[in-house]
Every structure is written in structure tokens, then in C-alpha cells.
Amino acid sequence: MEQYCCNHCGKLHDITPTIWRCACGGVLDLVKEVPKLDITAWNNYPNSIWRYFETMAFAKDSTTWEKVTMGEGQTPLVLLDEQEPNTYVKVDYMMPTLSFKDRGAAVLMTKAKELAVSKVIADSSGNAGTAIAAYAARCNISCDIYLSNETSPKKIAQIAAHGATIKKIHGTREDIAAEAQKAVDNEKVFYASHVYNPYFYEGTKTYAYEIYEQLQDVPDTLIIPVGNGTLLLGTYYGFKELLENELIKKMPKIVAIQAANCAPLVKAYQQGNESAQPVTNKGTLAEGIAIAAPPRSKQILEAVRKTNGEFIDIEEDEILSARAQLSEKGFYVEVTSAANYAGYIKYNKAPEERIIIPLCGAGIKSK
Ligand SMILES: *Cc1c(COP(=O)(O)O)cnc(C)c1O
Ligand SMILES: [Zn+2]
């Protein structure tokens, strides 16, 4: 049986429908042995994130995922353009709800269904809420999504379409999370949090497995946007498992991107701190990465440092210009996602360095 372990005090916890953090306040991780990767077995599964089912923390004979999946994953990895033969984009907006969050939400809601929960609560800047709402609908589980009254109207419409109850909160992203957490504890329901629930990362780690199979190798560098770090940590865990199984010989370098107007991790990285201090969000167009106090900051900083990676912060005008440039190449991404390309432009790359940029969210999601 899987268990959780507190990242702060080390206490072990059984996985129940209502646990979401340790009594000490620490975030939880799955207690896992390094999975023995049996690549040939991957062909026994459909061509989706579920190809890597056997690497995830589920009982081998569990088939719950078959009722939950909407075919998410195996997104295209394509060259950015012919002038840059070593730069690829991974088109993660080609997902059921048009963002990479489906990787995590499909796995997290599969776990919720296994735990037989009847209601979930989540808070989000938009895309995670959309993904949780969609998969909750698919699982016939009732769902409340807490979000800011300033969230992109198109994301709110998407969430509402899936039948979730929308709780609009006036306040910071942290205020919204606090409201959701209060409701979770009062109502004693499952907190379908992409930030706190370790199963979300079992889903986002498939980003690494897919790249490994598509490239038949490990890239040199991954550009990754970071707010709460769900793509960053998942990708790190995935490549780490590949390395531990000796399927790759090195870890790719992680270049993490934040908006300069809300960059607690950049600051902590520059000051050499182990974890991030909360900052004040000065306002950024990149709503999807505007996280002033990321709960997993210590793990994110550690992951970037361990890969000899770095942080880059992006100004507002650079975001808009990057979005326009990507559109001219044929890729229409939401505003937040343009920060990734802006980071790539700013990054001081070596000749022939093989780099992957994720296109995380579809253009029609934002204005
Ligand atoms: C969620 C999201 C991000 C940031 O992911 P984190 O897990 O918060 O680091 C980046 N881009 C898009 C489009 C997103 O939806
Ligand atoms: Zn603890």
C-alpha cells in the first residue's frame, strides 16, 4: 500500500480521502521505491499518459484509469522552426482541456475515484481548475472550484461548462487557496489540489517519459515555467526515474521561468536561499505563473540546483512580444505560456544545445 511522507518532519501518513498536508504544516510526498521500468510493458497500454501506468503509484491490477482517461498525453514534439534545428516545442496545449494540467488531473482524479470520494474542492488560477472540473465530471464526482474574480472569463466558462460550482474570491491567489482549504477542512472532502496532492506529479512526470521516447535520448535543456512547480517537479521526477534505471546518462538542465513581477523563486535562487519567502504580486499578464508563495518552493529550488539549472525572469513586454512571434510561427498559445518562449529567447544557449520549450496552454484561453 502506498503511503505519504511529510517533506518537513518525515512523518508517514496513510492515504485517506481527507489528508492533504501534515499536522506540522509540511507538504506530502509519496513514499516510493524507485520504480523498475519495464519499457516493453509500456506497449500494453493505450498511447496516452497511461502508457506509463506501471511507473505510477497504483496497484498493478487497478483499472480505474480506464474509466477516467480522455486520451490525454503523447503531445507532439516538433521543431520550433527550420532555422533552429536543435530547438523543439512540446505542444502540450493539445490536451482535452487545452493545457498540460490534464496530465496531473487525470491521475489525481483516478486516485480520487479509487478512494470513492463524492466531492472534491480545488483552487486555481484557471487551468488546473478546468482540468479538475473536466475529470470530476467524467468521474461523476461533484466539484467546487475556487478562483479569483479576475480569472480569464474563458477559463471560467470552461469550468462552468463541466458543471463545477464556481466560488469567486476577491483577494490574492494565496487568499483563494486559504478559502478552499478552509472549505476542505469544514466539509471534510477531498482536496484535489495540483499543488499539494502528490498524485498530480505522478501525472506531470509523463512529460519526461514522452520526451525520452520521442527524442530516443535526453535533451540538454528544458525550459519550464514555474508558478507552483507542478510541471517542473513532475518533469524532474520523471527524468530522475529514467536516470535511476540507467535509461539515460545525465539529467537535463532545467531553466525555470518566472514573471519578473511575481518571482519569489528567482529571488530565493539569486540569494542562495533554500526556500522562497513570499513576495507581493505586482501584477502580471502571466496569470498562470503568478504565485507569490509557492508551498513547494524548497523542492523546486533543489530540483533546479541539482540539474545545474538556472532561473530567468521575464518582463511584461517580453511576454507579449514572444506571444506574437510564436503566432507567426504557427503556434497560438495563451499569454502565460508565451513567457516560456520569452525565456528561451533570453537564455544564453550553447551551439547545438538541444532545448525543449513547452507550449502549455492554448491561445483561445486568454484574451
Ligand atoms: C499551471 C500553468 C503553468 C504553471 O504551472 P505551475 O505548476 O504553477 O508551475 C504555466 N503555464 C500554464 C499555461 C499553466 O496552466
Ligand atoms: Zn510533518
Side-chain angles (χ1 to χ4, degrees):
M1 277 304 273
E2 277 80 31
Q3 278 194 308
Y4 290 151
C5 173
C6 173
N7 183 260
H8 184 67
C9 75
K11 185 172 188 263
L12 293 178
H13 297 271
D14 288 339
I15 300 177
T16 67
T18 52
I19 186 163
W20 61 273
R21 73 177 161 192
C22 183
C24 82
V27 293
L28 302 175
D29 295 321
L30 275 159
V31 181
K32 275 179 69 178
E33 291 172 18
V34 179
K36 279 263 162 306
L37 301 185
D38 175 6
I39 297 190
T40 53
W42 292 356
N43 286 327
N44 299 334
Y45 297 86
N47 196 34
S48 65
I49 63 166
W50 300 102
R51 191 168 156 75
Y52 316 107
F53 172 75
E54 292 186 8
T55 74
M56 298 176 191
F58 290 105
K60 271 248 156 59
D61 57 356
S62 168
T63 55
T64 311
W65 64 272
E66 294 175 4
K67 301 183 197 79
V68 179
T69 183
M70 292 194 278
E72 53 288 326
Q74 303 299 342
T75 57
L77 183 72
V78 293
L79 281 181
L80 176 63
D81 68 31
E82 54 188 25
Q83 271 86 51
E84 291 172 89
N86 296 304
T87 301
Y88 299 81
V89 289
K90 185 139 169 79
V91 193
D92 252 31
Y93 60 71
M94 289 176 65
M95 285 279 186
T97 76
L98 313 180
S99 89
F100 82 81
K101 299 291 195 315
D102 292 348
R103 295 185 184 279
V107 176
L108 174 54
M109 290 309 298
T110 296
K111 186 63 190 177
K113 196 171 165 68
E114 279 198 343
L115 291 169
V117 311
S118 57
K119 176 173 179 180
V120 302
I121 288 178
D123 50 273
S124 160
S125 62
N127 287 340
T130 306
I132 294 292
Y135 287 93
R138 186 128 176 101
C139 295
N140 282 314
I141 293 173
S142 115
C143 174
D144 290 357
I145 302 292
Y146 287 68
L147 41 72
S148 161
N149 54 304
E150 287 168 16
T151 301
S152 159
K154 291 178 184 164
K155 293 180 184 174
I156 297 181
Q158 222 183 337
I159 295 169
H162 293 302
T165 302
I166 291 170
K167 307 274 190 186
K168 275 191 206 169
I169 309 291
H170 291 258
T172 65
R173 179 70 185 81
E174 287 63 43
D175 297 334
I176 295 159
E179 281 299 316
Q181 290 158 10
K182 212 161 65 185
V184 164
D185 292 340
N186 285 341
E187 299 178 38
K188 299 190 172 47
V189 294
F190 185 91
Y191 187 24
S193 169
H194 58 300
V195 187
Y196 285 94
N197 194 301
Y199 276 87
F200 199 88
Y201 303 83
E202 290 289 279
T204 52
K205 82 179 181 189
T206 59
Y207 184 79
Y209 284 115
E210 288 179 19
I211 289 171
Y212 163 71
E213 289 205 283
Q214 288 169 319
L215 271 190
Q216 293 290 309
D217 196 2
V218 57
D220 296 309
T221 304
L222 301 164
I223 306 280
I224 304 191
V226 51
N228 277 308
T230 68
L231 183 62
L232 189 146
L233 288 173
T235 302
Y236 176 72
Y237 298 148
F239 277 109
K240 201 156 157 275
E241 288 172 4
L242 288 163
L243 186 73
E244 285 163 345
N245 278 267
E246 295 175 3
L247 291 167
I248 56 173
K249 292 194 178 64
K250 63 162 191 184
M251 285 295 278
K253 174 175 169 182
I254 294 178
V255 176
I257 310 299
Q258 293 216 285
N261 280 354
C262 190
L265 294 159
V266 176
K267 199 168 163 199
Y269 178 75
Q270 287 169 349
Q271 296 180 342
N273 294 338
E274 205 180 290
S275 59
Q277 293 304 311
V279 297
T280 304
N281 177 3
K282 295 194 202 112
T284 171
L285 293 164
E287 63 177 2
I289 49 173
I291 306 295
R296 292 190 186 268
S297 71
K298 182 169 162 250
Q299 294 175 308
I300 297 165
L301 287 159
E302 191 178 282
V304 173
R305 287 183 173 127
K306 281 211 170 134
T307 68
N308 294 313
E310 60 188 91
F311 277 88
I312 294 177
D313 56 353
I314 303 299
E315 303 298 336
E316 296 300 296
D317 56 338
E318 294 173 319
I319 296 174
L320 290 179
S321 147
R323 190 185 193 212
Q325 289 179 56
L326 269 181
S327 304
E328 281 163 16
K329 294 176 194 292
F331 301 103
Y332 190 46
V333 300
E334 68 168 284
V335 176
T336 297
S337 216
N340 311 350
Y341 184 55
Y344 167 76
I345 294 169
K346 256 184 155 168
Y347 173 63
N348 192 2
K349 61 178 187 285
E352 318 241 311
E353 185 169 344
R354 266 214 289 194
I355 303 177
I356 296 177
I357 309 164
L359 305 181
C360 297
I364 56 160
K365 277 176 171 283
S366 53
K367 279 192 212 114

